[in-house]
Amino acid sequence: MTNLTGKTALVTGSTSGIGLAVAAELAKAGARIALHSLPGDENADRAVAEIMAAGAPDAQFFGADVSDVGAIQTLMTQVEAFGPVDILVNNAGVQFTAGITDMPEERWDWIIAINLSACFHTMKAVLPGMEKRGFGRVINIASVHGLVASKEKVPYVAAKHGLVGMSKVVALEYANKGDAAKGAITVNCIGPGWTETPLIEDQIRAAADKAGGDREKGVAALLSEKQPSERLTRTADLGALAAFLCSDAAQNITGVTIPVDGGWTAQ
Ligand code: NAD
């Protein structure tokens, strides 16, 4: 069992879905948790209560729109005052699907800003402190779409491929930094396949509509197209993997993307 007592984790986009499950696993391992989402997120209080109940010694919510660089800088200053960030999980993400000629320019900018550029700014802010303290874990929640493509997802696939590439660069730059005895610094991505969260709700609904309004049939259709296991990834599966990547046993895993995709990217 990973022991993260004394460590502080910032998990972006952590009031729902994958981010909340990752925060819960890090809390179970004893980390203090900085929860984050858009300002005024109605799920914030419930998420803080859930994370405290999971075992976090302390948890606080920070609101910031990560499509805005100035807001990210303010966020990072506020979180550093809560606790120096030992674990950064870049999880906040958005989706919009359309073919390239129907893709609005503002959707391109929005997805690139949140799913890619925000991760550059947060990593840049926390890595010097991680180096000074000798320990750091960066986990970027990419996607199978960081490794392979699907139609009608041009900004999402571009952002996630960018995130995988950026993570490799940063992993190399920090590979021999930090302090080996303290656990050193690693930078990795997790690549989920279909995982039932609010992010894929529109896609489930569209598939359900095609299947005569039957939601289960819609989910089954999405899975059968791409995910050979025909099972959804569970948010808790991703939380458990994130906790492992924070452990001492993972001290020499860096620069990789681990798919959790039921065989999607093996095809
Ligand atoms: P979700 O919608 O439950 O979570 C997204 C989180 O990001 C929410 O807390 C939301 O408030 C936050 N967020 C969105 N825009 C923001 C902004 N501008 N500023 C601050 N916070 C913002 O969805 P999820 O599926 O849990 O997504 C989490 C991550 O997992 C995303 O990066 C997504 O691309 C990735 N992912 C999801 C799936 C899937 O099937 N659900 C598959 C692969 C990758």
Side-chain angles (χ1 to χ4, degrees):
M1 171 91 190
T2 307
N3 185 351
L4 300 176
T5 308
K7 303 281 194 273
T8 298
L10 166 62
V11 185
T12 70
S14 46
T15 53
S16 69
I18 295 167
L20 184 58
V22 168
E25 284 300 322
L26 302 183
K28 270 189 220 164
R32 303 170 73 246
I33 307 290
L35 289 160
H36 158 266
S37 182
L38 284 163
D41 187 323
E42 58 185 19
N43 296 320
D45 291 347
R46 186 190 41 75
V48 170
E50 198 173 318
I51 292 309
M52 291 300 289
D58 197 3
Q60 202 173 306
F61 173 75
F62 299 86
D65 182 344
V66 296
S67 67
D68 172 347
V69 180
I72 297 175
Q73 277 154 358
T74 306
L75 167 72
M76 299 316 284
T77 306
Q78 288 171 343
V79 173
E80 281 290 324
F82 169 71
V85 177
D86 303 300
I87 298 163
L88 168 66
V89 183
N90 277 313
N91 167 79
V94 289
Q95 175 63 289
F96 181 83
T97 58
I100 184 163
T101 52
D102 294 324
M103 183 63 72
E105 277 69 17
E106 55 277 15
R107 289 294 188 174
W108 167 271
D109 292 342
W110 181 63
I111 291 176
I112 296 294
I114 295 166
N115 294 11
L116 179 61
S117 302
C119 308
F120 160 77
H121 296 296
T122 55
M123 285 196 284
K124 190 174 172 187
V126 300
L127 282 160
M130 289 178 173
E131 187 177 359
K132 245 182 247 151
R133 292 187 301 280
F135 173 88
R137 293 287 184 267
V138 177
I139 300 171
N140 292 322
I141 306 299
S143 168
V144 284
H145 287 116
L147 300 170
V148 294
S150 296
K151 289 187 278 188
E152 301 184 344
K153 295 187 176 174
V154 77
Y156 189 83
V157 169
K160 295 298 189 180
H161 273 67
L163 183 55
V164 166
M166 176 162 69
S167 304
K168 288 183 190 172
V169 174
V170 181
L172 291 176
E173 289 179 3
Y174 281 82
N176 63 355
K177 294 191 178 158
D179 179 339
K182 291 183 178 163
I185 298 170
T186 68
V187 180
N188 293 293
C189 290
I190 292 177
W194 289 123
T195 310
E196 196 168 355
T197 70
L199 187 99
I200 64 164
E201 199 45 43
D202 287 351
Q203 294 170 80
I204 292 178
R205 212 171 299 130
D209 286 348
K210 275 193 203 157
D214 184 325
R215 187 187 164 83
E216 262 177 47
K217 280 191 187 151
V219 171
L222 288 180
L223 290 172
S224 70
E225 189 194 348
K226 298 277 186 183
Q227 199 147 300
S229 65
E230 296 179 21
R231 298 188 300 279
L232 287 162
T233 297
R234 298 169 299 196
T235 57
D237 302 340
L238 302 168
L241 176 56
F244 170 71
L245 287 172
C246 293
S247 72
D248 188 55
Q251 57 88 21
N252 218 17
I253 299 176
T254 197
V256 303
T257 297
I258 303 178
V260 187
D261 65 357
W264 181 328
T265 52
Q267 296 169 100

